[in-house]
Structure formats: C-alpha cells, structure tokens
Amino acid sequence: MATDTSLIETDFSVAPDVGAPDRPAWGAVLSMSLGVFALVTAEFLPASLLTPLAEGLQISKGAAGQAVTATALVALVTSLFVSVLVRGLDRRWVLMGLSVLLIVSNLLVASAPGLGVLLVGRILMGIALGGFWSLSVATVMRLVPEDSIPRALAIMFMGVSAATVFAVPVGSYLGALIGWRGVFVAATGLAVLALFVQSVTLPPLPAQGSARMGTLFQVLARPGIGIGMIAVLLVFAGHFTFFTYIRPFLETVTGVGIDGVTAILFGFGLANFAGTYLVAFVIERSLRLALILLPLVMATLALLLTSFGGIPMMDAALVALWGLVFAGVPVSWSTWITRSMPDQAEAGGSLIVAAINFAIASGAGLGGALLEVSGPRGVFLASGLILATAVLTIIGRVRTS
C-alpha cells in the first residue's frame, strides 16, 4: 500500500518509552527503511506493469488489476490481527520472516503461468505488507532513545518517499527493457538485500505487553470516529480507482507510448514527494480546510481528465498535480487521528490502515470492472464521483475539534 507511514502503528503492546536503548541503532533503522522501500516498490509494480503483465498472462487488464485487490484485502486483515498473532514472538524474527515472505511473493509473481499463481503471490505480498507496516513504527521506537524517535521515523519514511518517486516510473521503464517478469526478479533482489541488512543489524526485540483486539472496537464506537473512517475509505477508494488504472488511461486516451507513460509517472512521483512537505502549511492554517480541499481538488482533476483528457502535456500536468495533492491526504488524516483521539492514537492508526486497505481493494476492484465495461474514462469518472461523495461527507459529518 502506497500510504503515508505516519498512520501506521498497530502493535499496541509497544510504547515509545518502553525498552528504549541508551544509544541509537541507526543501522537497524536503516534496515527498516530498506524493508519499507522493498515492500512499497513491490506494492506499486502492478500499476506500472499492468499492460505487459496482462498480455504476458493472457488475461484482461481488469483481471490483472485484481492482483492489487488481493494484496489490499489480505493486508487489511493482517494489519488488524498481526499483533495478536505474534504477541509472544521476538519482533526481529517476525520482521525477517515477513521479508522472506516478500521474497517468495516476488518469485511466484515472476514465474506465474497464469492468474491463479499471480494471485497467490500477491496474497503473500499482502501478508508481508500488512504485517511489516503494522509492526514497523513501534519497532523503530525501540531502536533509538526517545529523543531520537522523530529522526529515526524520518529515516524510515524515506523508504516510502523513494518508492513513491522511483518504483512506478522505473518499473514501467525496466519493464520495457527486461520484461515484467524481469522487474519482479529485480524486486526479489531488493527484498533479499533488505533481509540481509535486517539480519545483520536488527537486535533481539522480545515481545512486550499483551495485545488486545477490543481496543479497536472501543475506539470505533466513539462519536464521530465511525463516520471519519467512512470518509477515509471514500477518499482512498477514489484515489486507487484512479491510480491503479492510470497506465491504460495514458496509453489509450492520452495516446502516449512507454516513454511517455514513464515520464508522466515520474512526474507524479516527484510531485508526490514534494506534496508531503507542502501540505504542512495547509494543515497549520486549517485541518478542516485540508481534509476538504485535497479530495475536492482530486475530484476536479478526475472529472477534467474524464472530459478533456487526450492532450499529453495537459494530462501530464493534471496527473502531476494529483500526485502533489494526494501526498497530503494521509498526512491530514493522520493529524485528524491525533486530534480526535489523542489517548488512543495507535488504535486509531490501526483503523486507518484497515480503512485504507479496504479502499485499495474496493477501488481497484471497482475500477477493474468498469474498465471492462466503459474503458478508462469510465474509471476516472467513477473516481471523481467517489471523491465528490467524500467531500460532501467530510463537510457534513466529520469533526476536526
């Protein structure tokens, strides 16, 4: 899942001030960043390789897009239950085991003879993604002293930013050179490197405390939280309905070849990287403004592309603007969590992760069905309408104070 990692911390058994070392383990923090980079890169690859992957397996693009759906659904379930399932295990071995799972996933996809093996590989990817993300932030908090936590988290988040900038366009470009199977083999090598660095640098991290599922339901029952999660689901569903099928749109509507697709996706990634920093100015002015403005701009962009798409320079600019704006969505909702439930920010973050993964699955699934029926313009129209519904929900029901 390509989301802002400040949202993700579902290992309820670990607190920032529990078991913090006297000296920071920066090598271990770097290994976590590398693991995040390998995971997010693998997560993004189907979006950049959708067309050649579908052709290579002799399936429709809509069917190939269900690889994204499968990953997200499994990541959703894993993110909710992993802390309970591994509550007695050393986190070092759990994280390394999830990296092994990522390696197996990439190898299965690279050698897949058809849709069935592809989906199995992406299901394993979902387990690795949901599990690693759910444990990563709490793990980093145990690797450094309390005053070094912000810096350590920033280093880990670099893995997401790097994947956002490079994974999709580079995956698309390499797919033209070495084929989509070769790209997944390369992703396997990246996962092997991450596993090696983890094995060398991660210290023993015994489980602490006891994880309980009841906290999630207690938080969800609070006034205003449930409707907020519905708004989160709508915003991210609108985005992933758009993003999962962006390549077919660029190829068939915009009319660009592989070089054009790569350049436009690279522009999206660079703009997304910049947006993570620019959104802070909007949030400082008004969190409510950010929550409303960002999906409103995205809805407008989706409808503009639906109605007027087909001019390469214009489409490239609109896609880049989408990347810039979307970067602020996870940050703004993360801020909403900290203000709406400061006493249960970890549980709130877990619910956000679940909502996002459900949105990825539903957005990719809906988009795949629409792609078969109405083509890429129909997919983008649906994205715009979902985002418009999100805006109305936020205006009418979501509280920010």
Side-chain angles (χ1 to χ4, degrees):
M1 169 190 79
T3 64
D4 185 289
T5 50
S6 62
L7 299 177
I8 303 170
E9 185 182 344
T10 60
D11 186 7
F12 307 140
S13 61
V14 181
D17 58 348
V18 178
D22 295 328
R23 300 178 60 184
W26 293 119
V29 173
L30 183 61
S31 78
M32 295 296 294
S33 181
L34 189 57
V36 166
F37 179 63
L39 279 163
V40 176
T41 296
E43 180 187 12
F44 281 170
L45 285 181
S48 63
L49 299 169
L50 194 65
T51 299
L53 189 152
E55 293 174 350
L57 297 180
Q58 297 183 329
I59 58 178
S60 69
K61 295 175 185 177
Q66 301 313 312
V68 177
T69 306
T71 300
L73 284 174
V74 176
L76 184 160
V77 176
T78 304
S79 66
L80 291 175
F81 292 99
V82 65
S83 295
V84 176
L85 294 175
V86 303
R87 57 189 170 190
L89 300 179
D90 189 308
R91 295 300 189 255
R92 176 178 187 268
W93 291 107
V94 173
L95 292 167
M96 290 172 59
L98 293 168
S99 294
V100 170
L101 209 58
L102 175 61
I103 293 170
V104 175
S105 165
N106 285 332
L107 288 175
L108 282 175
V109 174
S111 60
L115 181 60
V117 176
L118 171 69
L119 292 178
V120 170
R122 297 302 291 183
I123 286 171
L124 296 181
M125 166 70 197
I127 297 173
L129 182 69
F132 199 97
W133 269 130
S134 297
L135 302 174
S136 61
V137 174
T139 298
V140 167
M141 289 178 172
R142 297 176 63 185
L143 296 174
V144 297
E146 185 173 357
D147 59 356
S148 297
I149 287 174
R151 181 182 175 190
L153 293 176
I155 292 173
M156 190 181 74
F157 296 164
M158 286 172 57
V160 179
S161 299
T164 301
V165 173
F166 294 111
V168 174
V170 172
S172 179
Y173 178 74
L174 287 178
L177 294 179
I178 62 177
W180 67 271
R181 295 184 188 273
V183 175
F184 276 98
V185 172
T188 302
L190 181 61
V192 170
L193 175 62
L195 174 62
F196 172 75
V197 177
Q198 290 162 14
S199 69
V200 172
T201 62
L202 280 177
L205 296 165
Q208 297 176 332
S210 58
R212 300 187 304 273
M213 288 299 301
T215 304
L216 294 177
F217 299 103
Q218 293 169 7
V219 170
L220 191 59
R222 292 184 179 185
I225 301 303
I227 193 67
M229 292 303 165
I230 291 174
V232 170
L233 193 156
L234 288 170
V235 173
F236 281 90
H239 168 72
F240 282 100
T241 301
F242 165 91
F243 186 71
T244 305
Y245 300 98
I246 190 171
R247 179 165 176 168
F249 183 93
L250 295 175
E251 290 174 332
T252 62
V253 177
T254 307
V256 296
I258 183 61
D259 291 339
V261 171
T262 300
I264 292 172
L265 292 178
F266 189 67
F268 175 95
L270 286 176
N272 186 266
F273 185 83
T276 57
Y277 299 97
L278 296 177
V279 71
F281 296 101
V282 181
I283 293 175
E284 287 174 1
R285 182 178 180 85
S286 171
L287 174 60
R288 183 169 179 80
L289 175 64
L291 292 177
I292 295 171
L293 181 62
L294 299 179
L296 178 61
V297 173
M298 291 162 62
T300 302
L301 292 172
L303 296 176
L304 285 173
L305 285 164
T306 300
S307 303
F308 305 107
I311 304 171
M313 291 301 296
M314 182 188 73
D315 291 1
L318 295 178
V319 169
L321 183 56
W322 185 294
L324 180 76
V325 172
F326 175 70
V329 170
V331 180
S332 58
W333 282 107
S334 177
T335 305
W336 175 77
I337 281 290
T338 63
R339 295 183 184 181
S340 300
M341 53 189 91
D343 59 321
Q344 290 291 349
E346 294 180 3
S350 176
L351 291 171
I352 286 261
V353 173
I356 290 172
N357 279 287
F358 185 77
I360 294 171
S362 58
L366 173 64
L370 288 174
L371 187 67
E372 303 293 332
V373 175
S374 57
R377 289 187 188 271
V379 175
F380 279 26
L381 175 61
S383 170
L385 294 176
I386 293 170
L387 287 162
T389 304
V391 172
L392 294 175
T393 302
I394 296 166
I395 292 173
R397 300 292 301 278
V398 175
R399 298 180 295 181
T400 57
S401 60

